[in-house]
Amino acid sequence: QSQLVESGGGLVKDGESLRLSCAVSGITSRYYTIGWFRQAPGKEREGISCISYDGRARYADSVQGRFTISRNNAKDTVYLQMNSLKPEDTAAYYCALDVTVQSYCVMTSSVYDQWGQGTQVTVSS
């Protein structure tokens, strides 16, 4: 059974940066996709980025140009670099695993098989 563990969340000020990590363990294949999602209180979960096994990335309009997703396959870790953070970025952030072998990714939560426990990001104004 694979496991995902997020880390790197915290409290920052408007305009500052954070880097989230998603460590994947218990998986034998490198051909997996990771998606990042977030959910703010009272709002629906939002897909914000994803990266395929070969590094193809996608971003939601809300984070395009500010967030960068990357992966280190040797460490089975995916990163989400978040720059120019805004108060509206405040949410619980989750990474999720899709074991379907494909050279593209989607930010639709229903396609993901497993989820991490989440890490909180709070941006103060």
Side-chain angles (χ1 to χ4, degrees):
Q1 179 85 11
S2 54
Q3 185 178 16
L4 293 83
V5 178
E6 303 97 335
S7 61
L11 172 64
V12 296
K13 296 181 180 179
D14 191 355
E16 294 185 340
S17 299
L18 280 175
R19 188 178 80 158
L20 304 184
S21 298
C22 174
V24 183
S25 61
I27 188 167
T28 57
S29 172
R30 294 286 168 83
Y31 297 99
Y32 57 85
T33 292
I34 293 293
W36 280 100
F37 296 79
R38 67 186 181 186
Q39 188 166 21
K43 295 188 176 181
E44 294 188 355
R45 183 164 49 193
E46 175 189 16
I48 58 173
S49 186
C50 62
I51 188 166
S52 64
Y53 74 91
D54 57 354
R56 300 189 186 199
R58 297 183 65 183
Y59 301 93
D61 290 344
S62 57
V63 306
Q64 179 77 48
R66 299 188 298 123
F67 291 11
T68 303
I69 192 170
S70 61
R71 65 190 293 161
N72 183 329
N73 288 334
K75 295 184 177 181
D76 279 323
T77 300
V78 173
Y79 305 98
L80 186 68
Q81 177 66 43
M82 306 187 297
N83 298 330
S84 303
L85 283 162
K86 306 173 182 180
E88 50 264 43
D89 293 317
T90 295
Y93 284 70
Y94 302 88
C95 63
L97 171 72
D98 175 12
V99 297
T100 306
V101 180
Q102 56 196 20
S103 60
Y104 64 91
C105 64
V106 295
M107 296 176 287
T108 304
S109 59
S110 60
V111 307
Y112 290 85
D113 308 295
Q114 288 184 245
W115 294 75
Q117 82 290 348
T119 186
Q120 179 67 33
V121 172
T122 303
V123 185
S124 64
S125 57

